[in-house]
Amino acid sequence: MKRSTAIVVAVLVAVLFAAGGVGLAVWQAGTASDTGGTAASGTADPGAEPQDGGAAVDGETPAGDSAAEATDPEDDASDGEQDGSEAPAGYTLPPVTAAPTLIPGPAPRDAAADGEVVDGFPDGLEPPPASTVEHSSLSTDDGRVQASLTASSTSGVDELLVHYRTALAAYGMAELPAEAASGTTAVAFTRGDDQVTLVITPDGKGSSYELFGTLTSGGG
């Protein structure tokens, strides 16, 4: 009887030990699984320092990638300069046209007239509207032409100046100051060897004026 009891007790003890070993193995497996899951989840240690070249955080671009993708501004500027300096293929600049001369053709014949403008008088020296011609003349010597005009006008000094400034500018003539007697206004216009002098004297009804030009004919 005592022997049977001892056998039963021994069997129970063996069962208890076996059960305890299984439970310990299960607990250890669970702990290892939890540790592996934590490492696999990528959770960073709050106290850990970031490593050089570490993985980028979700939603942010790594610094190295942005630097590699950035465009060199000097290259862009160089490309822009090249684009702006190159003219389209087949493009030709328009020719530069010089202003005409007051006497583009052969020198006119000598002439003089009272009360009208003589034939052949340069177009750029024609009197403005509202003028009364007193005398006009042309004199030619070896391709050089002297043109003169004496007239009066109901226009004032400023209006006459504007007329001849505009007319002679179309022939490429530049304005220069000229000596004038007291009570008169004088201006000169030049282009190369050509010169025109205008003297205006105001009066109670408008102005009287004299025009004198030394010009070169185009035909010699």
Side-chain angles (χ1 to χ4, degrees), residues 31-106:
T31 301
S33 176
D34 292 342
T35 303
T38 301
S41 64
T43 302
D45 186 352
E49 296 182 357
Q51 298 179 357
D52 294 341
V57 180
D58 294 342
E60 297 182 0
T61 303
D65 293 342
S66 62
E69 295 174 359
T71 302
D72 189 349
E74 294 183 359
D75 291 344
D76 289 346
S78 176
D79 293 341
E81 292 175 359
Q82 293 178 359
D83 293 342
S85 62
E86 296 180 359
Y91 178 79
T92 303
L93 291 174
V96 177
T97 303
T101 58
L102 284 168
I103 305 179

Side-chain angles (χ1 to χ4, degrees), residues 140-204:
T140 302
D141 182 15
D142 193 21
R144 296 287 288 174
V145 180
Q146 292 182 347
S148 65
L149 174 72
T150 302
S152 61
S153 174
T154 56
S155 300
V157 174
D158 291 340
E159 292 175 283
L160 291 172
L161 286 173
V162 168
H163 170 81
Y164 279 108
R165 281 170 176 164
T166 303
L168 295 176
Y171 291 88
M173 304 197 76
E175 181 179 345
L176 297 174
E179 294 184 3
S182 177
T184 66
T185 299
V187 292
F189 303 89
T190 64
R191 177 187 178 184
D193 294 332
D194 291 358
Q195 180 168 328
V196 176
T197 302
L198 173 65
V199 180
I200 306 173
T201 304
D203 56 35

Side-chain angles (χ1 to χ4, degrees), residues 5-38:
T5 300
I7 293 173
V8 171
V9 170
V11 171
L12 290 175
V13 170
V15 171
L16 290 175
F17 272 107
V22 173
L24 178 61
V26 172
W27 177 81
Q28 291 177 343
T31 301
S33 176
D34 292 342
T35 303
T38 301

